[in-house]
Amino acid sequence: MTGTNRSALNVAAIQQASSPDKAASLATSEMLIRQAVSEGAQLVVLQELHATLYFCQTEDTSVFELAEPIPGPTSNHLSALAAELDIVLVGSIFERRMNGVYHNTAVVFERDGTIAGIYRKMHIPDDPGFYEKFYFTPGDASFNDGRSGFTPIETSVGKLGVLVCWDQWYPEAARLMALAGAEILIYPTAIGWDTTDEAEEQARQLEAWVTVQRGHAVANNLPVIAPNRVGTEPDPSGQSAGIRFWGNSFICGPQGEFLARADDRSESILHAAIDRNRSESIRRIWPYLRDRRIDAYSDILKRVRD
C-alpha cells in the first residue's frame, strides 16, 4: 500500500438490482455508495454493468446506444461522487472507445475524482444468454505505453488488481496481477442462473464460482472483492425465461476465508476490514511465488499441448 499507514482498510462491495432506466440504476448505486461511506467504507466496488440491465441475453444493435465514452456522463457522475465522499470508487461502464469498438470497462476513481486507471475486460464469453462477443471487444494485451493489459491500478489505498466477471475463471489473469504487485483482486460481476436449470445444477454453478475466486485468493495470498447483481431480468427476445442473478457477493481474505457474504436475493452492502499486512505475513510462511518453476512453464503459452 502507498504511504506508511498500514492499518486496516475498510472496503465495501455493492450488490444491487438494475433497472432499464440508467438514471434509476445509478440513483440506486449512489444511495448504496453513500450508505457504505456513512458506515466507514474507504474503497467501494460496484458490480459489472451496474447502470443498465444485463443486455447481453440477446444480440441487438440498438443496445450500442447505451455505450458511453470515458470520460462521459456515467464516469463524470461517479467521479463527482468519489470526490465528494473522499473515497476510491470502482465503477463499470459499457465503453464506446470509437466507432465499432466497444468495451466492458472497469473505471477506478481516486479520492479527488480523477480517473486512477481503467481495465478493459480481457476474456469475453459467448454462451446462451451471455452473448458478450457481439458487444465487447477484448481489452488490449498491452497498452500503448507498453504496460500489460493485466496491470494493477495505483491508488491511494493500494494497487488494485481489477478484473471483470469472466476473467474470474482464469488463474493466469489473477497471477499476472499478483506478479505486478496487486494488493487486492477485484471482480465486478454479472452472473446468474438459467431459471430452468435444476436446483442441483444451480448449486454446483454457484459453488464453482465462489470456489474458483477463493482459490485465486489462496494461490496469490491476496484478498478478493467480488460484487454481483441480484434480481431476475427477462430475456427481451422471449426465447428463454431470462436470468436470475444469484448475488452471493463476497469478500474474502488471502487464505480464502470469508470476511463478508451476501444472500442470493437482497440488495446489500458488504463491509470488511482488510488487514494491509496479512498478505506479506502469509507469503513468508506459504511462499508460493518464491517456489514457482518459471523455467518449466513455457508451454502455458500454447493453446493446446498436442
Side-chain angles (χ1 to χ4, degrees):
M1 300 288 178
T2 56
T4 59
N5 182 4
R6 305 292 293 180
S7 62
L9 173 67
N10 295 315
V11 304
I14 304 296
Q15 173 172 297
Q16 71 173 87
S18 293
S19 164
D21 181 344
K22 186 182 288 188
S25 294
L26 287 171
T28 298
S29 297
E30 178 174 344
M31 175 190 70
L32 295 170
I33 291 166
R34 289 185 180 279
Q35 182 178 338
V37 173
S38 74
E39 295 166 351
Q42 300 163 282
L43 167 65
V44 180
V45 184
L46 297 169
Q47 67 206 30
E48 182 185 21
L49 301 173
H50 52 84
T52 64
L53 295 179
Y54 181 75
F55 48 78
C56 304
Q57 293 193 61
T58 59
E59 297 181 353
D60 180 355
T61 56
S62 69
V63 168
F64 287 106
E65 295 301 317
L66 294 173
E68 301 180 13
I70 300 173
T74 296
S75 64
N76 290 341
H77 181 78
L78 296 176
S79 169
L81 267 179
E84 177 194 345
L85 300 174
D86 192 32
I87 57 169
V88 173
L89 176 62
V90 181
S92 176
I93 292 173
F94 181 23
E95 179 192 4
R96 180 188 178 278
R97 189 174 180 184
M98 64 170 290
N99 289 337
V101 179
Y102 303 83
H103 295 284
N104 186 333
T105 302
V107 186
V108 179
F109 301 91
E110 189 45 273
R111 293 165 55 188
D112 62 359
T114 58
I115 294 177
I118 64 171
Y119 170 80
R120 293 177 173 131
K121 188 173 182 175
M122 295 284 274
H123 300 93
I124 311 297
D126 191 71
D127 300 312
F130 294 85
Y131 298 113
E132 295 198 12
K133 280 184 166 62
F134 182 78
Y135 295 103
F136 306 133
T137 301
D140 298 322
S142 60
F143 290 98
N144 290 337
D145 61 8
R147 290 176 300 133
S148 165
F150 296 115
T151 297
I153 296 171
E154 294 256 15
T155 76
S156 57
V157 297
K159 292 183 178 181
L160 307 183
V162 181
L163 298 157
V164 176
C165 198
W166 194 238
D167 294 323
Q168 64 213 177
W169 301 100
Y170 295 86
E172 300 90 342
R175 177 54 52 85
L176 287 169
M177 285 293 191
L179 292 176
E183 295 165 278
I184 303 172
L185 296 175
I186 294 174
Y187 293 98
T189 298
I191 193 169
W193 293 300
D194 180 334
T195 58
T196 64
D197 279 341
E198 295 181 352
E200 292 81 3
E201 174 60 17
Q202 291 183 347
R204 286 191 292 267
Q205 291 176 5
L206 173 58
E207 190 63 21
W209 177 76
V210 172
T211 300
V212 73
Q213 291 177 95
R214 293 178 72 195
H216 300 329
V218 174
N220 295 289
N221 313 117
L222 292 175
V224 166
I225 303 173
N228 186 29
R229 70 175 61 202
V230 288
T232 299
E233 298 184 12
D235 176 354
S237 72
Q239 296 180 33
S240 75
I243 300 173
R244 182 186 160 208
F245 291 93
W246 65 45
N248 276 276
S249 302
F250 69 92
I251 304 169
C252 71
Q255 289 173 297
E257 69 276 21
F258 284 117
L259 302 178
R261 186 171 180 180
D263 64 21
D264 64 356
R265 296 179 182 277
S266 307
E267 290 191 326
S268 307
I269 303 169
L270 297 186
H271 286 278
I274 290 178
D275 184 344
R276 300 174 193 246
N277 299 311
R278 188 163 170 74
S279 289
E280 173 66 17
S281 298
I282 292 171
R283 285 180 178 174
R284 292 178 182 181
I285 57 173
W286 285 354
Y288 307 137
L289 300 185
R290 181 197 67 188
D291 296 339
R292 295 174 64 243
R293 285 296 307 275
I294 58 174
D295 57 317
Y297 297 159
S298 60
D299 278 359
I300 200 72
L301 296 177
K302 297 177 180 177
R303 179 71 64 184
V304 177
R305 296 179 70 195
D306 294 308

